[in-house]
Amino acid sequence: MAEKKSHIYLTGFMGSGKTSMGKALADISGSVFFDMDNIVEGSQNMKIADIFKVKGEPYFRELEHRLLVELEKFEPCIIATGGGVPCDEQNLQLMKRSGVVVYMKCTTDELFQWLEINKGDRPLLAGKEGVELLAWIEAELQRREVYYEQADIIVDGYHISPEDLWEKIIALRA
Ligand code: S3P
């Protein structure tokens, strides 16, 4: 019988460690790993920051949604989603029906400390520093948690090991 919950979707705020965890879980399980941000960039031949600048955020969100629809059809795999992906009811329902959704939960302070130094060229963080960045993360995390908290598995993003998370996923599927 086909496994009902096939994919593993890693969700969480920017900087919560979804990509590193996804790669580690792929190593443990021998599954294929996809990073949605990378695929979107490759499909447009543009950095996400440029997609936001040139085409706008709604266009980017549509690309994310279409990619999710394509990935749903794929063989069981591990997917690091962009931080905004689950914050859309359609996306969230798609993920929940086709896989195990994991929320890599981190506190505002943890995210702030990491993102302050590792902001990269994330368009939503551009131009925000110090207390302004902290306040934005706090408000945005609060808004998004309504969605993030609907995950099947919620873990302490910065402290759980890939092995422990893998065990939780196996237990849920059993
Ligand atoms: C976004 C998160 C980013 C990227 C884009 C928007 C968001 O991905 O998709 O900049 O809305 O949270 P990461 O969560 O991998 O940083």
Side-chain angles (χ1 to χ4, degrees), residues 14 18 37 48 52 60-61 64 82-84 122-124 144:
M14 291 168 266
K18 295 162 293 199
D37 287 342
I48 287 171
F52 267 66
F60 172 74
R61 297 301 175 197
E64 285 187 316
R122 289 182 175 87
L124 296 176
R144 291 182 174 198

Side-chain angles (χ1 to χ4, degrees), residues 143-164:
R143 186 185 76 78
R144 291 182 174 198
E145 282 215 310
V146 179
Y147 300 97
Y148 290 155
E149 298 271 356
Q150 293 182 54
D152 303 301
I153 299 176
I154 299 178
V155 294
D156 181 336
Y158 281 0
H159 299 106
I160 188 156
S161 69
E163 290 76 15
D164 285 352

